Amino acid sequence: MADRTTAARLLDQLSDPERITLETLAFIHEPVSTTVLLNCLHDLEQRDPFGKPLSFTRLSRRLETLRAKNLLTHAQQPVPEILEALCRGAVQNGAFAQIQRVVRRHLPFFTDQGKWQSRCGRALRELRMALYGQDLTQVIESLDFISRHCPDINTQPSPIVTCVTSDFDRAWLSAQPLSLQFFVIDHILQYGWSYFTACFDIVDYLEDESVFVDISSIERTPFLRLLATHYLLRGEPEKCADLLAAHPEFFQGSGARGSLNFVAGRYNEAWNHFLHDQSDQHS
């Protein structure tokens, strides 16, 4: 695959059967046999051009065609350049819910059954499906399982970082519930702080006033405070000061002004601001 622009053009040229095949493989995520994939596609009511149930031979030819287009690996996984676009496309065209049900039926995830490698691979799949299905509870549970049991997966980069930033889609992120948005953005920024990795797309998103124009001040507050924290931890106190000056009402009682003065070496001012914020919290 040359680049994401080429990938996007090739995706636009796919037939409907090719697209549903790739979308199903994108959510399966792990290497899978043609037989298991065929069973999934049968449940999705995929048929050949003559209206008959899709055959093993015809599916095999379809997979060979997708490999020839450099859209599919020999492990029958979509190439990374198109993976997230396929998942978001399935959500947009309405195929996601049915694909999710079929994949879970044929490739179920059990926390206490199977080899650890298989369990961890399927926990990663559950995390991805939960993210695209806007299921924050399942996202948190899957992350917890991976962090405790899957050291090979729980490494750089985090699965959520990969899902969201490898092919960043501002429109997709802004369409998510605010609770999921905040969780994802906080997770990605914390990853960046821990591993000294820039998250330019996420920071640009937080800095864009138009993103939050239609939400209440209460809903916007945690996002602005997260941005201020990012500026401080990245050593950008000037940006933090500008943010606090532009939106003072969002930082009352937050400790942000005290922290800003502290990193600037103005310890007496910092102490006074901390005391003031503490009194605000108890007033």
Side-chain angles (χ1 to χ4, degrees):
M1 182 62 60
D3 54 42
R4 297 191 190 281
T5 302
T6 303
R9 187 177 67 252
L10 289 173
L11 285 180
D12 289 339
Q13 297 170 356
L14 292 176
S15 66
D16 288 343
E18 289 174 329
R19 177 172 287 276
I20 193 64
T21 299
L22 283 173
E23 288 174 349
T24 303
L25 287 170
F27 282 109
I28 290 175
H29 197 257
E30 63 183 313
V32 67
S33 69
T34 302
T35 300
V36 171
L37 175 60
L38 182 63
N39 291 335
C40 290
L41 292 176
H42 279 166
D43 279 6
L44 291 169
E45 300 181 353
Q46 287 297 296
R47 296 182 176 272
D48 68 16
F50 304 101
K52 297 180 180 179
L54 184 64
S55 68
F56 184 94
T57 300
R58 189 173 290 276
L59 176 58
S60 297
R61 288 201 295 267
R62 183 185 299 173
L63 295 174
E64 285 298 326
T65 299
L66 293 172
R67 276 191 282 271
K69 294 179 179 180
N70 294 321
L71 296 175
L72 193 66
T73 71
H74 286 284
Q76 301 199 156
Q77 294 173 290
V79 296
E81 291 85 352
I82 64 171
L83 183 60
E84 309 310 333
L86 284 168
C87 293
R88 293 165 189 162
V91 172
Q92 187 173 13
N93 64 34
F96 167 73
Q98 191 175 5
I99 291 174
Q100 182 184 49
R101 287 194 297 270
V102 167
V103 169
R104 284 176 170 168
R105 182 183 306 139
H106 290 279
L107 296 164
F109 168 59
F110 300 105
T111 60
D112 57 352
Q113 295 181 27
K115 295 181 180 180
W116 276 111
Q117 182 178 4
S118 176
R119 275 189 268 181
C120 289
R122 294 188 180 186
L124 176 58
R125 182 176 65 235
E126 288 297 316
L127 170 61
R128 292 175 54 80
M129 290 197 297
L131 180 63
Y132 285 111
Q134 301 181 346
D135 186 345
L136 180 55
T137 299
Q138 184 62 54
V139 167
I140 294 171
E141 290 177 357
S142 298
L143 275 177
D144 179 64
F145 182 89
I146 291 170
S147 67
R148 288 188 291 113
H149 301 295
C150 308
D152 291 340
I153 295 177
N154 190 37
T155 55
Q156 300 185 53
S158 158
I160 287 183
V161 174
T162 301
C163 285
V164 178
T165 66
S166 63
D167 186 13
F168 184 71
D169 186 333
R170 177 181 291 241
W172 173 82
L173 182 58
S174 64
Q176 304 312 302
L178 289 176
S179 57
L180 181 61
Q181 276 193 59
F182 182 80
F183 181 88
V184 165
I185 292 171
D186 178 61
H187 182 91
I188 293 172
L189 289 181
Q190 288 200 42
Y191 169 81
W193 302 334
S194 299
Y195 294 99
F196 302 99
T197 301
C199 306
F200 295 119
D201 289 325
I202 295 296
V203 175
D204 288 345
Y205 182 84
L206 285 175
E207 290 176 336
D208 187 349
E209 294 282 339
S210 67
V211 170
F212 304 102
V213 69
D214 293 325
I215 68 174
S216 70
S217 59
I218 293 176
E219 292 171 321
R220 189 181 181 189
T221 296
F223 292 94
L224 284 173
R225 292 184 177 185
L226 186 58
L227 181 59
T229 300
H230 174 77
Y231 286 150
L232 287 175
L233 292 178
R234 294 285 294 186
E236 298 177 300
E238 296 85 1
K239 287 187 176 182
C240 184
D242 290 343
L243 183 66
L244 269 59
H247 305 284
E249 69 278 12
F250 291 97
F251 294 96
Q252 293 179 0
S254 69
R257 291 193 180 282
S259 299
L260 179 60
N261 280 277
F262 181 84
V263 299
R266 298 187 292 269
Y267 303 122
N268 288 334
E269 291 181 52
W271 178 248
N272 290 331
H273 280 297
F274 284 135
L275 290 177
H276 184 270
D277 283 350
Q278 188 176 41
S279 66
D280 281 349
Q281 291 178 345
H282 291 90
S283 60

